[in-house]
C-alpha cells in the first residue's frame, strides 16, 4: 500500500484547482470508507500540502498558510464533511519539502542534525588530540557530513542567501575540528588548506 500520493491538478484558475483538490480528496477518502478503511485524519497521518501557481496564487497562499488560516481544508464527501489538515512543509523520505519549493528550511534542519552529531562525539573524537587529524577527518566525513548531505542531490538552491548560509555553516563545522574559537582569525583558505577538505561551495 502506498504511504504518499502526489496528485497533479489543472484548472483555468486557482479557484478551479482548489475545487478539484476538494473533489479528488473526497473521492479518495470515500473510496477508503467503501473498502471498510477508516481514514486517519490526524496530523502526521493524512495531510494536504498545496502549492498554488498562476494568477491569484499569492491570495490562495495567504488563505492556506497565512496567520488567519484555519489549518484545515474542508472536504465534502458522500456521507460526511472531512477536515483534512493543511501543512506548509512535509517530511518525505527523510527530506523536508516546503510548499514554496525553497530548500532553506531543509538546509537549516540538516545543519542542526550535523551539529548535534558533532557535539555527541566532540570530546571523544573530533577534538581529541590523541587521534590523528587524518583519522578525525575520515570520521567527520563518515558521521557528520553524511548526515548533512543526505539527499543533497535533490536540493535546488535558488537563492544566494541559502547558498551562503550553507557555506558558512559547514566552515564553522570545519573550524570546530581544529578547535578554533570564534575569535581565532582564520581565513577560509587557511582553514581549507589546514584540513585539506573541499570548499563547501564546491
Amino acid at each position: 500500500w502506498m504511504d504518499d500520493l502526489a496528485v497533479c491538478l489543472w484548472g483555468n484558475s486557482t479557484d478551479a484547482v482548489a475545487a478539484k483538490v476538494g473533489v479528488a480528496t473526497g473521492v479518495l477518502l470515500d473510496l477508503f470508507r467503501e473498502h471498510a478503511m477508516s481514514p486517519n485524519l490526524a496530523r502526521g497521518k493524512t495531510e494536504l500540502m498545496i502549492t498554488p501557481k498562476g494568477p491569484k496564487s499569492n491570495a490562495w497562499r495567504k488563505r492556506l498558510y497565512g496567520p488567519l488560516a484555519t489549518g484545515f481544508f474542508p472536504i465534502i464527501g458522500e456521507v460526511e464533511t472531512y477536515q483534512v489538515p493543511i501543512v506548509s512543509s512535509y517530511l518525505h523520505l527523510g527530506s523536508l519539502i516546503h510548499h514554496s519549493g525553497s530548500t532553506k528550511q531543509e538546509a537549516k534542519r540538516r545543519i542542526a542534525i550535523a551539529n548535534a552529531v558533532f557535539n555527541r562525539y566532540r570530546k571523544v573524537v573530533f577534538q581529541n588530540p590523541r587521534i590523528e587529524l587524518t583519522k578525525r577527518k575520515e570520521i567527520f566525513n563518515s558521521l557528520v557530513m553524511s548526515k548533512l548531505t543526505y539527499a543533497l542531490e535533490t536540493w535546488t538552491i535558488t537563492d544566494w542567501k541559502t547558498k551562503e548560509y550553507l557555506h558558512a555553516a559547514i566552515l564553522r563545522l570545519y573550524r570546530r575540528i581544529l578547535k578554533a574559537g570564534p575569535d581565532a582569525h582564520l581565513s577560509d583558505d587557511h582553514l581549507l588548506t589546514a584540513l585539506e577538505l573541499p570548499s563547501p561551495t564546491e
Side-chain angles (χ1 to χ4, degrees):
W1 184 246
M2 59 190 177
D3 288 330
D4 305 283
L5 176 67
V7 180
C8 185
L9 300 170
W10 177 89
N12 291 321
S13 66
T14 49
D15 292 335
V17 173
K20 288 185 178 183
V21 167
V23 171
T25 309
V27 167
L28 284 170
L29 293 176
D30 286 339
L31 187 63
F32 293 153
R33 296 187 74 100
E34 286 176 21
H35 289 81
M37 298 170 66
S38 298
N40 186 347
L41 300 182
R43 290 197 177 274
K45 294 297 181 182
T46 303
E47 296 171 327
L48 280 173
M49 187 177 73
I50 304 171
T51 305
K53 299 289 184 184
K56 297 184 180 179
S57 58
N58 286 337
W60 260 101
R61 281 195 190 91
K62 287 180 183 177
R63 189 169 165 181
L64 294 170
Y65 305 114
L68 300 178
T70 62
F72 292 92
F73 197 100
I75 305 294
I76 300 174
E78 288 289 334
V79 179
E80 63 178 296
T81 299
Y82 305 98
Q83 294 291 334
V84 180
I86 292 181
V87 292
S88 59
S89 58
Y90 177 69
L91 192 64
H92 178 65
L93 299 177
S95 295
L96 191 71
I97 303 169
H98 194 264
H99 75 91
S100 66
S102 170
T103 54
K104 186 177 181 180
Q105 288 78 9
E106 172 66 352
K108 287 184 175 180
R109 194 176 75 91
R110 286 279 158 202
I111 290 294
I113 291 171
N115 275 301
V117 174
F118 191 100
N119 290 337
R120 193 180 310 152
Y121 300 101
R122 179 176 63 85
K123 289 183 179 179
V124 179
V125 178
F126 300 124
Q127 293 179 354
N128 188 343
R130 285 180 286 183
I131 300 177
E132 292 181 4
L133 181 60
T134 305
K135 183 59 67 177
R136 277 186 278 154
K137 289 190 301 181
E138 287 179 12
I139 300 172
F140 174 82
N141 283 327
S142 177
L143 292 180
V144 179
M145 291 305 291
S146 63
K147 293 281 187 182
L148 195 152
T149 59
Y150 174 80
L152 186 69
E153 66 276 5
T154 65
W155 292 13
T156 305
I157 300 174
T158 56
D159 61 290
W160 188 257
K161 272 189 176 181
T162 303
K163 180 261 175 193
E164 285 298 294
Y165 167 77
L166 275 169
H167 182 92
I170 295 171
L171 282 179
R172 282 194 296 272
L173 282 168
Y174 284 2
R175 289 173 70 92
R176 294 182 72 188
I177 298 175
L178 293 178
K179 210 174 180 179
D183 56 337
H185 298 291
L186 288 175
S187 67
D188 291 358
D189 288 339
H190 180 88
L191 186 63
L192 296 174
T193 302
L195 289 174
E196 295 181 343
L197 286 172
S199 165
T201 296
E202 292 173 12

